[in-house]
């Protein structure tokens, strides 16, 4: 059932977002085309060139840019405007899953389709987990799209050789520090999943009181702030009991805070499932 | 066999009482009408039976099971409002039901879609109100559920569509299941009801087999309804 629910959630997301995603790709492609064909010149290219890319023994990449961009030589106002627009759209698409998932979750609990959602004979945690998985998939897709857009921007506006050099260095870094990079990505994704789960929990608490958004939204925000404050307090107390300290890349972690993060994730998942099954009415 | 048993159900929304000590028992193989004016508590009761809301007090069981996600496997609901996504085609809606409800009968769904003169490539968004109602009914009746709940299935549809809807209900009814219908259009549904409950201000004020009610009081169900609910 979890597979079927996840597929349904993914289809819902695709159906509601496909035109936005396709529109985004089209607009970004047009901006890049205009930049390259009508505005781009050698000065801009030189400005983006990486004067030096190096990989240190620790694996960190360092790069320095040319002088042209900082000097502003040959960079027209239209180039700056289109660049700002391009990056703003990239940020919007990167943040889109966050807004969409909150809206979709709220609608699933109290919108007109709530009849269908709540009538599906599946245990609460499967419904919640399927929504979380679909949200994470959408986050990865939109995040990748956003990063890829930026990569295309640099590829098109700078010297292709330098971009290839950077890719090669990053590739080498991933090969060299593979497990550490994978662990970093895993930690980052878990952090996002845990944040979404906390938000879902707050929405569910609010919806178990009322479906009226004028009341439910403040309740949800209040619960969210309360949870964050509580977690902040517990984290501060736990810093005195690290159990084990460890590093991933340049970031330090303690086992106690990692265990707390895992506990919070499962507690919010269980709480949200319980609320969906026992408290939320339609 | 008892399909649904509700015992002394009360449902309060803050200080307002929607149901007040309602008890009802539905037996297998019957088409039962839950009749009453707006605000009498019909939809609240249907939501309680499907687990969409929870009683303030009292208990409900479906085929002996407490209301919960397990009981949802036994109940098919036709809500009184739209519940499908605009992007869905009639085929998508069928596939969604087939994925989630083990008792969904795809062959019957195809037959009902033909019977309702709809086609699989039609988008939900482009359907008229009557067509949406027919689609929702086709989905609901395509399930081999033990309890089929139809909330105002004739609301807002033209007389021809009403006939089709009633025809579909009769066509799909089997003795293994129970159908619970609410409607304001007593004249229209009277012919298919075996039993009727009259609900007023959250309480059952009259109950009986429709034939017995008609013969005992020498009145049609519609006349009885007007008598019971006259101001």
């Amino acid at each position: 059932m979890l597979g079927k629910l996840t597929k349904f959630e993914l289809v819902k997301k695709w159906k509601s977002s496909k035109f936005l995603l396709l529109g985004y790709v089209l607009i970004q492609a047009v901006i890049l085309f205009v930049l390259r064909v009508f505005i781009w010149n050698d000065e801009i290219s030189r400005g983006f060139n990486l004067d030096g890319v190096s990989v240190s023994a620790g694996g960190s990449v360092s790069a320095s840019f040319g002088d042209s961009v900082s000097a502003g030589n040959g960079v027209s106002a239209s180039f700056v405007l289109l660049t700002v627009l391009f990056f703003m759209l990239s940020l919007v698409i990167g943040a889109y899953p966050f807004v969409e998932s909150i809206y979709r979750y709220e609608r699933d609990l109290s919108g007109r389709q709530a009849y269908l959602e709540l009538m599906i004979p599946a245990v609460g945690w499967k419904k919640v987990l399927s929504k979380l998985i679909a949200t994470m998939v959408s986050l990865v897709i939109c995040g990748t799209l956003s990063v890829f857009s930026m990569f295309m921007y640099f590829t098109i506006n700078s010297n292709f050789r330098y971009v290839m050099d950077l890719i090669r260095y990053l590739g080498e870094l991933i090969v060299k520090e593979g497990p550490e990079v994978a662990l970093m990505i895993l930690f980052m994704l878990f952090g996002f999943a845990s944040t979404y789960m906390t938000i879902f929990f707050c929405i569910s608490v609010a919806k178990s009181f009322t479906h009226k958004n004028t009341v439910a939204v403040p309740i949800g925000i209040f619960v969210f702030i309360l949870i964050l404050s509580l977690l902040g307090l517990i984290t501060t107390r736990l810093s005195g009991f690290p159990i084990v300290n460890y590093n991933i890349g340049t970031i330090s972690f303690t086992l106690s805070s990692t265990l707390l993060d895992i506990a919070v994730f499962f507690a919010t998942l269980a709480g949200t499932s319980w609320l969906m099954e026992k408290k939320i009415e339609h | 066999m008892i399909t649904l048993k509700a015992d002394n159900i009360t449902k309060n929304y803050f200080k307002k009482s929607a149901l007040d000590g309602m008890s009802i028992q539905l037996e297998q193989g019957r088409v039962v009408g839950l009749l009453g004016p707006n605000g009498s508590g019909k939809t609240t009761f249907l939501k309680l039976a499907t687990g969409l809301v929870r009683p303030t007090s009292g208990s409900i069981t479906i085929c002996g099971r407490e209301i919960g996600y397990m009981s949802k496997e036994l109940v098919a609901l036709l809500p009184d409002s739209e519940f499908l996504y605009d992007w869905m085609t009639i085929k998508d809606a069928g596939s969604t039901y087939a994925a989630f409800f083990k008792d969904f009968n795809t062959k019957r769904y195809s037959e009902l879609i033909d019977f309702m003169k709809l086609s699989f490539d039609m988008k939900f968004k482009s359907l008229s109100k009557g067509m949406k109602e027919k689609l929702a009914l086709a989905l609901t009746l395509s399930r081999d559920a033990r309890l089929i709940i139809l909330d105002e299935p004739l609301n807002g549809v033209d007389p021809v569509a009403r006939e089709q809807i009633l025809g579909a209900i009769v066509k799909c009814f089997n003795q293994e299941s129970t159908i619970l219908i609410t409607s304001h259009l007593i004249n229209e549904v009277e012919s298919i009801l075996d039993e009727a409950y009259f609900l007023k201000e959250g309480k059952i004020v009259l109950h009986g087999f429709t034939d017995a009610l008609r013969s005992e009081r020498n009145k049609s169900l519609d006349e009885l309804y007007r008598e019971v609910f006259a101001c």
Side-chain angles (χ1 to χ4, degrees), chain A residues 112 117-118 277-278 281, chain B residues 11 52 54 72 85-86:
Chain A
R112 70 180 164 98
E117 297 281 337
L118 298 173
E277 267 181 37
K278 307 280 183 193
E281 297 189 336
Chain B
K11 178 63 184 175
L52 292 169
R54 286 152 202 91
K72 287 176 186 171
Y85 290 91
D86 284 342

Side-chain angles (χ1 to χ4, degrees), chain A residues 2-282:
Chain A
L2 182 62
K4 286 176 185 172
L5 286 165
T6 307
K7 188 183 164 195
F8 183 53
E9 290 299 325
L10 288 171
V11 169
K12 269 162 48 185
K13 282 201 188 291
W14 170 244
K15 295 284 183 182
S16 65
S17 312
K18 65 179 175 186
F19 291 116
L20 186 108
L21 292 178
L22 294 173
Y24 169 79
V25 170
L26 192 71
I27 291 171
Q28 296 293 68
V30 169
I31 292 176
L32 287 177
F33 178 78
V34 170
L35 279 174
R36 179 70 191 192
V37 175
F38 300 107
I39 301 171
W40 182 85
N41 56 43
D42 285 344
E43 285 296 309
I44 290 171
S45 175
R46 271 196 291 279
F48 278 100
N49 284 346
L50 300 169
D51 290 341
V53 178
S54 62
V55 181
S56 71
S60 62
V61 176
S62 62
S64 57
F65 289 88
D67 297 330
S68 301
V69 166
S70 55
N73 296 335
V75 179
S76 63
S78 51
F79 179 82
V80 173
L81 277 175
L82 283 175
T83 297
V84 169
L85 179 65
F86 187 91
F87 279 90
M88 274 178 64
L89 288 174
S90 299
L91 287 177
V92 166
I93 210 71
Y96 171 73
F98 180 76
V99 178
E100 194 269 346
S101 64
I102 292 173
Y103 172 78
R104 179 77 37 217
Y105 186 76
E106 192 272 330
R107 290 284 81 199
D108 285 352
L109 294 186
S110 59
R112 70 180 164 98
Q113 286 89 15
Y115 274 116
L116 179 61
E117 297 281 337
L118 298 173
M119 275 303 293
I120 293 172
V123 68
W125 70 265
K126 287 186 181 175
K127 289 185 184 178
V128 177
L129 198 58
S130 68
K131 290 179 195 300
L132 184 67
I133 293 169
T135 298
M136 293 308 292
V137 170
S138 136
L139 179 83
V140 169
I141 289 172
C142 289
T144 307
L145 204 57
S146 177
V147 170
F148 182 73
S149 306
M150 293 183 201
F151 167 73
M152 287 306 291
Y153 175 87
F154 285 108
T155 305
I156 283 171
N157 288 299
S158 70
N159 189 317
F160 187 67
R161 190 171 60 84
Y162 287 105
V163 174
M164 292 314 290
D165 281 347
L166 181 63
I167 292 170
R168 187 168 53 82
Y169 283 125
L170 287 174
E172 283 172 8
L173 178 69
I174 289 168
V175 170
K176 194 176 168 188
E177 307 289 343
E180 209 159 299
V181 171
L183 213 56
M184 281 281 272
I185 293 170
L186 204 68
F187 264 60
M188 196 177 70
L189 288 177
F190 180 74
F192 278 122
S194 200
T195 307
Y196 281 123
M197 206 57 253
T198 307
I199 293 170
F200 288 170
F201 176 73
C202 295
I203 296 172
S204 302
V205 171
K207 291 289 168 188
S208 60
F209 284 106
T210 176
H211 285 303
K212 284 180 186 164
N213 276 343
T214 45
V215 182
V217 172
I219 292 175
I221 292 170
F222 173 75
V223 175
F224 188 67
I225 293 169
L226 196 71
I227 290 173
L228 288 190
S229 310
L230 207 64
L231 284 177
L233 191 73
I234 296 170
T235 308
T236 313
R237 294 280 167 90
L238 276 181
S239 60
F241 310 96
I243 309 175
V244 176
N245 288 301
Y246 62 98
N247 291 333
I248 298 174
T250 52
I251 307 167
S252 309
F253 294 91
T254 64
L255 183 59
S256 59
S257 67
T258 306
L259 290 175
L260 174 68
D261 290 342
I262 293 169
V264 169
F265 175 80
F266 283 105
T268 47
L269 174 62
T272 309
S273 309
W274 184 79
L275 287 167
M276 194 183 259
E277 267 181 37
K278 307 280 183 193
K279 289 289 167 192
I280 294 171
E281 297 189 336
H282 182 66

Side-chain angles (χ1 to χ4, degrees), chain B residues 28-96:
Chain B
Q28 187 178 306
R30 288 185 191 158
V31 180
V32 182
L34 188 60
L35 312 173
N38 290 331
S40 57
K42 301 187 299 292
T43 300
T44 301
F45 180 74
L46 301 189
K47 285 183 174 183
L48 282 163
T50 47
L52 292 169
V53 299
R54 286 152 202 91
T56 307
S57 64
S59 73
I60 306 182
T61 54
I62 308 285
C63 299
R65 286 189 198 173
E66 290 292 327
I67 300 290
Y69 83 91
M70 296 286 275
S71 71
K72 287 176 186 171
E73 287 180 349
L74 306 172
V75 183
L77 169 71
L78 171 76
D80 62 347
S81 57
E82 291 172 17
F83 63 98
L84 295 169
Y85 290 91
D86 284 342
W87 53 264
M88 281 180 165
T89 59
I90 290 179
K91 191 182 173 190
D92 290 332
S95 307
T96 305

